[in-house]
Amino acid sequence: MNEEQHNSQPPSHRANTLRIAVLMMPGQVPLDLVGPLQVLQCADRLSIDVEICYVGPNAAMPWLGPLTLSGIDPLPEQLPPQHLLLIPGQYRNSVEPLSQQECVSWLKTNACYADTLMTVCSGTLLLADAGLLEGRRCTTHHTLIEQLQAKAPKAKVQSDCIFIEDGRYLTSAGISTGIDTMLYWLTRACGHSLALAVAREMVLYLRRSGQEPQLGAWLEGRNHVDERLHRVQDAICAAPSQTWRIETLATQAAMSERHFRRQFKSLTGMLVGEYIMGLRLQRAKTLMTETTWTLARVAEASGFGDERQLRRIWARHEKVPPSVWRRASSQKLLD
């Protein structure tokens, strides 16, 4: 399967089983591995099956003080198809040159068998060494930006985001941002409802990279631990175009209407109506980006009722008309 075919195929939405391969290299940063794996472990326990294989140049390796990681499978001559290949970062003073070169050579021939390649921290440098980042937007830890630019001079290296996606490449700034990046990928692969459930389970606040604004509305107002409101928000997120009445939502939250309104505003920072309109507006933007539908059809499918109402809400949040925004968004996807 060539690169163009991969880029035209997004992750399988709501796959029954996620197949993940992890490239295990000497000098691995512990949180680069454990953070993303904890996200997957929570997802496995809450909803879906996750199959993880660990491959690397060594069957075992020192990891954290006296702890050693073992049970690592040899690098396969051909990697079985994977939904994701995870490449954690390494401490630069712990890199073993021969193992490093073996992994670079392996990536050159096997990267094509993963739907998405996700790097954490210095893992991006490995993709650069393998010549896989030419012309792509990418990022890494802020202390490694210059090294990445030197290794991949034709890449579009960015230092102003915690992670960034370009085609099937998902690169991150490292350490704790591996958690954010894996949550983002989980959203793409299985839907935002599961990602939000995982974030709540891990007591996390989902962040955006600054480069993926389509996530914003779904994550906004979720930085609280009130399970009753999360339940209501999950229902709205699942069907933002549906007609939602305050009395129905209050009943679902087991609150009086007055208390529900106050609690929602206090914990989310917005009124219920504002929250619903924000989701509908994001839904409209997604449809404008992914379809050629007329604005009237987009408005109806997003829950606005008609084009006039969509334009009225749009004007409150955007500086340019829908047509201008749509052309700019389409051009950005081509760049």
Side-chain angles (χ1 to χ4, degrees):
M1 184 177 291
N2 60 33
E3 192 76 14
E4 288 70 29
Q5 288 174 315
H6 265 299
N7 288 342
S8 66
Q9 296 177 355
S12 306
H13 190 62
R14 299 194 183 283
N16 291 327
T17 300
L18 294 180
R19 297 185 302 278
I20 316 292
V22 183
L23 184 56
M24 305 289 286
M25 297 175 292
Q28 188 180 80
V29 179
L31 189 56
D32 283 7
L33 173 69
V34 175
L37 289 186
Q38 182 65 36
V39 173
L40 294 173
Q41 190 274 337
C42 283
D44 180 81
R45 189 159 48 80
L46 290 172
S47 177
I48 60 174
D49 293 327
V50 179
E51 295 179 356
I52 303 177
C53 64
Y54 302 88
V55 300
N58 305 318
M61 65 184 193
W63 189 61
L64 185 61
L67 299 180
T68 298
L69 291 181
S70 61
I72 302 170
D73 293 329
L75 292 170
E77 184 175 344
Q78 179 175 316
L79 180 70
Q82 305 290 321
H83 290 105
L84 177 73
L85 173 58
L86 172 64
I87 307 173
Q90 305 159 273
Y91 292 116
R92 305 315 293 165
N93 60 358
S94 300
V95 169
E96 296 180 2
L98 292 179
S99 296
Q100 200 78 356
Q101 188 53 51
E102 184 179 354
C103 289
V104 169
S105 298
W106 181 81
L107 274 174
K108 289 179 179 179
T109 58
N110 283 276
C112 60
Y113 298 113
D115 293 339
T116 298
L117 284 84
M118 172 182 159
T119 65
V120 186
C121 196
S122 65
T124 309
L125 300 182
L126 205 70
L127 294 184
D129 288 334
L132 298 172
L133 294 178
E134 183 173 339
R136 297 194 175 279
R137 296 179 299 156
C138 56
T139 193
T140 187
H141 192 274
H142 61 88
T143 63
L144 302 173
I145 290 295
E146 291 185 1
Q147 287 188 47
L148 180 57
Q149 291 171 331
K151 286 176 176 289
K154 295 183 179 180
K156 302 173 184 178
V157 179
Q158 298 192 217
S159 59
D160 58 351
C161 56
I162 64 173
F163 65 83
I164 191 166
E165 182 180 35
D166 190 332
R168 63 192 188 93
Y169 293 85
L170 189 54
T171 57
S172 69
I175 317 297
S176 66
T177 64
I179 298 174
D180 301 277
T181 313
M182 186 59 79
L183 280 168
Y184 170 77
W185 180 79
L186 188 65
T187 304
R188 294 269 283 109
C190 301
H192 60 266
S193 295
L194 177 57
L196 290 170
V198 169
R200 292 201 302 274
E201 178 77 11
M202 295 177 63
V203 196
L204 290 171
Y205 174 51
L206 286 160
R207 294 180 290 175
R208 288 189 294 159
S209 66
Q211 302 296 327
E212 310 301 339
Q214 67 269 25
L215 280 178
W218 306 108
L219 308 183
E220 193 174 5
R222 305 299 296 240
N223 190 21
H224 63 83
V225 294
D226 191 314
E227 184 59 34
R228 296 171 299 175
L229 288 191
H230 278 306
R231 188 166 61 245
V232 168
Q233 289 173 293
D234 287 345
I236 297 173
C237 283
S241 60
Q242 180 176 320
T243 299
W244 292 103
R245 300 186 181 280
I246 290 294
E247 55 267 30
T248 302
L249 297 175
T251 299
Q252 186 166 350
M255 301 179 187
S256 67
E257 292 184 31
R258 182 179 182 183
H259 182 57
F260 173 72
R261 290 177 187 271
R262 289 182 174 179
Q263 190 77 344
F264 196 96
K265 178 65 166 64
S266 174
L267 295 181
T268 69
M270 65 190 85
L271 300 173
V272 180
E274 294 173 341
Y275 180 75
I276 295 172
M277 284 300 169
L279 295 179
R280 288 176 177 171
L281 184 61
Q282 189 56 62
R283 172 64 176 159
K285 289 180 177 179
T286 299
L287 292 174
M288 289 167 63
T289 302
E290 297 180 353
T291 74
T292 58
W293 292 358
T294 65
L295 196 61
R297 185 177 178 185
V298 168
E300 182 179 0
S302 303
F304 285 102
D306 56 40
E307 180 179 338
R308 181 179 179 182
Q309 185 184 16
L310 171 56
R311 287 185 179 277
R312 184 166 62 249
I313 299 299
W314 184 281
R316 298 177 187 173
H317 298 273
E318 298 293 336
K319 296 180 181 179
V320 298
S323 58
V324 176
W325 183 93
R326 194 173 203 173
R327 284 197 299 270
S329 296
S330 299
Q331 184 59 46
K332 187 180 296 184
L333 290 176
L334 296 174
D335 290 341

